[in-house]
Amino acid sequence: MNSLQALWRRRDLVHVLALSDVKARYRRLGLGVVWAAVTPLFQGVVIAVVFSVVGRLSEAIPFPFALYVLTGVMPWQFFVSAMMGGTKSLLESGSIVQRVALPRMALPTATVAANLYQLGFTLVALLAIVAAMRFELLHQLYLLPGAVALLVALAFGMALTFSTLLVRFRDLDPILQSATLAWFWITPMIYSLQDERLREHPAIQNLIRANPITGLVGMFRSAYVGMPVDWWATLGTVGWTMFFLVVGWRVFSRREATIADFI
């Protein structure tokens, strides 16, 4: 509770740090923060084109395959950037941690908030794309705030959990980098859980459904393209989110006082 109170008292600092992070990323770019939306959208289109031709995965999707991929890549890009950025925030701000008296939790919080600003541009851009292609698919858009809240909470919880561990165990960074590469492929970004080939392997299908990102991706697709909500996957995501929030908060609170000693 002391950490939470200190973070709330310095919420203005979190806002300043987050804005500084966003400005630093796009200061010298001609399009500025617009790249926050262009980059994941471009990556999603490339993936959609390649796998619709090579893998013939679009056959199991009842709407434009590009929208299916985009609604998966968008939350994934935010999650990886926010989680990995928050995990490394303490090390990358070592001079601040050692010299300035501030709530240490403000650093991963600001990193996640900075990525949230960028996510906002992507959400609006994707909304415009879906509305232009198939406006009638947006009949479940009311699910979007819940999907965003759950996505941010999961990224924040994992950032809290891993940021203090990374200070002591530097090998955690390459481990997480490798894990996210594998994580992408066990998340239904470019394939459907309802694909006949997956139905023949229920154990693999259940493993993918237990992936905490699967429920999140499903919620975004439900909001943007009207797919039915997979409640089992969504409940699994809620459970994982609560787990990482509780564990991350406890780990960070216990080690916060000694973070500067290991940087």
Side-chain angles (χ1 to χ4, degrees), residues 49-99:
V49 171
V50 171
F51 282 94
S52 63
V53 175
V54 178
R56 296 194 300 176
L57 297 173
S58 60
E59 298 174 357
I61 311 301
F63 49 85
F65 186 58
L67 294 183
Y68 185 84
V69 175
L70 285 173
T71 49
V73 169
M74 177 191 61
W76 171 260
Q77 290 285 356
F78 166 83
F79 171 76
V80 172
S81 180
M83 187 269 288
M84 292 300 299
T87 296
K88 294 186 286 187
S89 61
L90 296 177
L91 282 182
E92 292 179 347
S93 304
S95 59
I96 297 178
V97 173
Q98 292 177 325
R99 299 177 184 177

Side-chain angles (χ1 to χ4, degrees), residues 170-260:
R170 306 299 171 90
D171 288 346
L172 183 61
D173 183 28
I175 290 174
L176 288 177
Q177 294 283 359
S178 300
T180 52
L181 291 176
W183 203 346
F184 178 89
W185 297 107
I186 61 173
T187 303
M189 302 288 185
I190 58 175
Y191 55 85
S192 172
L193 277 174
Q194 305 306 318
D195 191 293
E196 292 182 359
R197 288 164 289 190
L198 273 180
R199 288 183 176 181
E200 297 175 356
H201 302 280
I204 297 177
Q205 192 179 41
N206 291 332
L207 176 64
I208 295 173
R209 185 171 277 113
N211 175 359
I213 304 299
T214 297
L216 278 171
V217 169
M219 287 187 69
F220 276 91
R221 286 183 174 138
S222 298
Y224 273 103
V225 293
M227 286 187 63
V229 178
D230 187 336
W231 291 111
W232 284 114
T234 303
L235 288 174
T237 297
V238 172
W240 280 113
T241 301
M242 295 302 297
F243 170 80
F244 278 109
L245 282 175
V246 172
V247 171
W249 195 272
R250 290 177 64 87
V251 170
F252 201 102
S253 298
R254 289 183 177 183
R255 303 191 177 214
E256 185 174 11
T258 60
I259 287 174

Side-chain angles (χ1 to χ4, degrees), residues 3-63:
S3 298
L4 181 60
Q5 292 170 357
L7 185 62
W8 177 251
R9 285 196 299 268
R10 300 305 306 274
R11 60 189 182 278
D12 56 331
L13 175 62
V14 174
H15 180 67
V16 170
L17 290 173
L19 285 180
S20 298
D21 190 343
V22 173
K23 292 177 181 179
R25 296 183 192 185
Y26 302 104
R27 181 179 294 123
R28 297 183 180 275
L29 300 179
L31 293 179
V33 75
V34 175
W35 283 110
V38 172
T39 301
L41 292 176
F42 176 76
Q43 292 175 344
V45 169
V46 171
I47 293 173
V49 171
V50 171
F51 282 94
S52 63
V53 175
V54 178
R56 296 194 300 176
L57 297 173
S58 60
E59 298 174 357
I61 311 301
F63 49 85

